[in-house]
Amino acid sequence: MKIVKQIVFTLFALMFLNAGLNKFFNYMPAPKLTPGQMEAFGAFMKIKWLMPLLATMETTGSILVIIPKTRALGALILFPIMTGICLHHATMDPSGLPVALVLAAILVWIIIDNRRKYLPMVQ
């Protein structure tokens, strides 16, 4: 089970690493966006520091998730990003919601698996 967990968590982290690096280097073609998505993306692009911050958080969080000792911190970094992804797909692009929910479930699994490391923060 430990090997399966490591494989699933590493694949999860590699998806976020790919997304973060794509924000820096733009090597994947962008999907066709709806007018609502274009408006939201345009608003994000007006804030010059937002996309580099998001890319840095995705890249850093994914690298931390790959390393078992720092996985709990990486999950905390990726949690708000995953929340935004799920909300985006729930409201603007329902076709991507199944994949987003699978990724959210893996993130919840990581958080539950590392719950003992979070106890000092809430005690």
Side-chain angles (χ1 to χ4, degrees):
M1 183 65 176
K2 195 173 187 179
I3 294 171
V4 171
K5 196 167 51 170
Q6 180 66 29
I7 291 170
V8 170
F9 293 169
T10 300
L11 290 174
F12 169 83
L14 288 175
M15 289 193 65
F16 275 95
L17 182 63
N18 181 44
L21 291 176
N22 185 51
K23 285 178 184 61
F24 282 125
F25 302 117
N26 257 347
Y27 54 84
M28 293 185 336
K32 183 134 172 83
L33 302 176
T34 64
Q37 289 173 318
M38 290 288 284
E39 185 179 338
F41 189 70
F44 290 150
M45 294 312 288
K46 284 184 182 178
I47 306 171
K48 299 286 186 207
W49 53 267
L50 188 60
M51 282 304 185
L53 174 66
L54 186 62
T56 302
M57 287 178 62
E58 284 180 345
T59 305
T60 304
S62 64
I63 291 170
L64 290 173
V65 166
I66 291 173
I67 304 166
K69 195 173 213 171
T70 60
R71 188 169 288 148
L73 178 60
L76 287 181
I77 291 172
L78 293 178
F79 185 77
I81 297 168
M82 192 69 239
T83 303
I85 291 169
C86 287
L87 288 173
H88 168 78
H89 286 293
T91 58
M92 294 185 152
D93 187 17
S95 65
L97 191 58
V99 174
L101 291 177
V102 168
L103 291 175
I106 294 170
L107 183 61
V108 169
W109 182 16
I110 294 171
I111 291 171
I112 290 171
D113 193 50
N114 290 290
R115 64 186 173 276
R116 289 179 304 284
K117 294 180 181 177
Y118 301 128
L119 287 177
M121 291 190 304
V122 294
Q123 287 181 345

